[in-house]
Amino acid sequence: MINLQPYSSPRYFLILLLGLLPIMIGLYHGKRFRVYETIFSLVFLVLTFGGDHWQQGVALIIYIAYQFILTLAYVHYRKTRNQTGVFVGAVLLAILPLTVVKFTPFLAGGKITLGFLGISYLTFKTVQVVMEVRDGTIKDFDWKLYLHFLLFFPTISSGPIDRYRRFKKDYETIPDRSAYLEDLEKAVHYLFLGFFYKFILGYLFGTLWLPSLQHWALMQRHAFGGLGLSWALLGYMYDYSMYLFFDFAGYSLFAIAISYFMGIKTPPNFNKPFAAGNIKEFWNRWHMTLSFWFRDFIFMRFTFWFMKKRWIKNRIRISQIAYLVNFLIMGFWHGLTWYYIVYGLFHACAIIINDIWLRYKKKHQAQIPSNKFTKGFSVFLTFNVVCFSFLIFSGILDKLWFM
């Protein structure tokens, strides 16, 4: 059986574009071939999770069955009742498979690996649906559409993380010919930009330069001792940051492009993040669907819950605690290693400091200059703070300090 990693080879794109042709022709003529789209998606899921990856395929089937039964049960329950304990239980059960997948390698010493590619993004979708059903914002739940939403193959491996109501609107609305032609134009643009990001810039920063910079950083650490700080490590920091962006942004652009070909306007994941003037603005530009998901379903709900309990009356303190919780969970989600957790705490502290500065700046507007130089310096400072956080995230400090 052919085994294809999403967006990894010319063969994948060739098969993908051939399979998309009937869908594109149908949408051009104002029709959505739902049965063909379902078969088409299932074929690509088999190609992704079949063959040598059959264990992942089995895990995906079990996971989808579990989440489908759980969500359907909660939707049925929510029609007549709305007890908080049941809602919390449903959310905890929804994140249980992801928790097991994250903790099993740690507890088993790395010898056992469960799960499948994209389990995190599917979990975020499921939790979002359960929460919005509870809030009443999802009133018309369609189980067939829910399955299509979960298994929408362009985004299943690495996002972006769509929302059920937004996806439902696109899926049920067939664009007119002129609007679809505009979507196709955007899709082609995103596709070629993704090729440039992933296979040219990502290759340049990741494959050509990054291993050499890591080698020299490790060599200088062994030669000169200390904390391992060196010009090679500084170069590694900037190079890894560029690689992380172009590689992931490239994947995201591929997913968005294929979605647009299929008449689904999957939201963007990046918006010039390194042009951000402060750390909060950075998170409004970087991996946006993830950061907005954490904002809406962790930060905001934790803040509301804390205010409702009235354990702390100061709203500033509540938001600071919420930032710590939000980014600490994000750190744990990346993995159970110290550098992922420190990465999360680093960003929480950075945002807290940034909020303190913005409040101070607002009170002393007359004394604090605002011009092209200060704005440029803000971008420069934010860029370097972010790059340093990515240095932590990369794990190279673990090799420099503990090997």
Side-chain angles (χ1 to χ4, degrees), residues 124-164:
F124 293 145
K125 285 183 174 183
T126 303
V127 171
Q128 172 247 316
V129 169
V130 170
M131 286 187 171
E132 292 195 341
V133 165
R134 197 253 187 178
D135 295 342
T137 52
I138 295 179
K139 296 181 174 64
D140 184 18
F141 180 80
D142 183 339
W143 67 267
K144 293 181 182 178
L145 185 63
Y146 175 63
L147 284 177
H148 197 76
F149 169 66
L150 287 181
L151 295 173
F152 187 59
F153 84 90
T155 62
I156 196 171
S157 61
S158 58
I161 307 166
D162 208 346
R163 304 291 176 95
Y164 175 82

Side-chain angles (χ1 to χ4, degrees), residues 245-286:
F245 168 69
F246 287 117
D247 183 73
F248 194 17
Y251 271 109
S252 296
L253 286 168
F254 290 147
I256 294 169
I258 303 307
S259 300
Y260 268 70
F261 281 127
M262 300 177 70
I264 304 295
K265 298 179 182 178
T266 295
N269 236 0
F270 297 91
N271 179 25
K272 301 177 182 177
F274 295 130
N278 60 60
I279 198 68
K280 184 178 287 187
E281 184 186 348
F282 169 80
W283 279 106
N284 287 331
R285 292 168 174 262
W286 175 271

Side-chain angles (χ1 to χ4, degrees), residues 123-399:
T123 301
F124 293 145
K125 285 183 174 183
T126 303
V127 171
Q128 172 247 316
V129 169
V130 170
M131 286 187 171
E132 292 195 341
V133 165
R134 197 253 187 178
D135 295 342
T137 52
I138 295 179
K139 296 181 174 64
D140 184 18
F141 180 80
D142 183 339
W143 67 267
K144 293 181 182 178
L145 185 63
Y146 175 63
L147 284 177
H148 197 76
F149 169 66
L150 287 181
L151 295 173
F152 187 59
F153 84 90
T155 62
I156 196 171
S157 61
S158 58
I161 307 166
D162 208 346
R163 304 291 176 95
Y164 175 82
R165 287 180 293 154
R166 202 217 62 76
F167 180 88
K168 182 175 185 288
K169 182 180 178 181
D170 279 1
Y171 189 75
E172 294 180 344
T173 303
I174 300 175
D176 59 43
R177 183 168 296 182
S178 60
Y180 184 60
L181 288 174
E182 290 180 4
D183 289 345
L184 289 181
E185 185 179 346
K186 291 178 181 178
V188 172
H189 171 73
Y190 292 144
L191 191 63
F192 279 93
L193 187 60
F195 280 125
F196 179 63
Y197 277 13
K198 168 65 181 172
F199 295 117
I200 296 179
L201 295 179
Y203 175 80
L204 185 68
F205 286 109
T207 304
L208 290 185
W209 294 344
L210 197 63
S212 297
L213 287 167
Q214 177 174 315
H215 172 75
W216 282 109
L218 293 172
M219 289 290 290
Q220 290 181 4
R221 166 68 175 89
H222 292 306
F224 302 110
L227 294 175
L229 303 178
S230 64
W231 288 107
L233 184 62
L234 186 66
Y236 178 92
M237 179 182 79
Y238 290 121
D239 185 80
Y240 179 80
S241 299
M242 295 301 101
Y243 164 69
L244 192 64
F245 168 69
F246 287 117
D247 183 73
F248 194 17
Y251 271 109
S252 296
L253 286 168
F254 290 147
I256 294 169
I258 303 307
S259 300
Y260 268 70
F261 281 127
M262 300 177 70
I264 304 295
K265 298 179 182 178
T266 295
N269 236 0
F270 297 91
N271 179 25
K272 301 177 182 177
F274 295 130
N278 60 60
I279 198 68
K280 184 178 287 187
E281 184 186 348
F282 169 80
W283 279 106
N284 287 331
R285 292 168 174 262
W286 175 271
H287 204 345
M288 294 185 291
T289 60
L290 177 70
S291 62
F292 294 163
W293 191 95
F294 270 82
R295 178 198 65 191
D296 295 343
F297 299 109
I298 295 180
F299 177 83
M300 295 300 296
R301 289 172 187 268
F302 179 87
T303 301
F304 175 76
W305 177 68
F306 235 70
M307 291 175 63
K308 185 179 179 181
K309 295 295 182 180
R310 297 182 179 178
W311 289 336
I312 298 177
K313 295 181 179 180
N314 189 316
R315 294 193 176 190
I316 295 175
R317 296 291 173 266
I318 292 175
S319 67
Q320 291 172 345
I321 295 172
Y323 281 131
L324 287 168
V325 170
N326 186 77
F327 282 97
L328 187 60
I329 292 174
M330 185 181 288
F332 275 108
W333 167 68
H334 279 105
L336 297 177
T337 55
W338 72 265
Y339 44 86
Y340 288 143
I341 298 168
V342 170
Y343 167 81
L345 291 174
F346 179 90
H347 273 280
C349 294
I351 287 187
I352 291 171
I353 294 170
N354 180 70
D355 276 358
I356 294 171
W357 164 248
L358 290 178
R359 286 194 297 272
Y360 177 84
K361 184 179 178 182
K362 188 175 181 181
K363 290 181 181 179
H364 302 84
Q365 288 182 346
Q367 292 81 22
I368 299 175
S370 179
N371 49 50
K372 291 183 179 180
F373 173 78
T374 57
K375 291 178 181 178
F377 178 76
S378 297
V379 173
F380 173 79
L381 180 61
T382 303
F383 172 72
N384 281 276
V385 167
V386 167
C387 288
F388 181 73
S389 76
F390 289 155
L391 179 67
I392 298 171
F393 181 85
S394 71
I396 193 174
L397 297 181
D398 188 59
K399 296 177 182 179

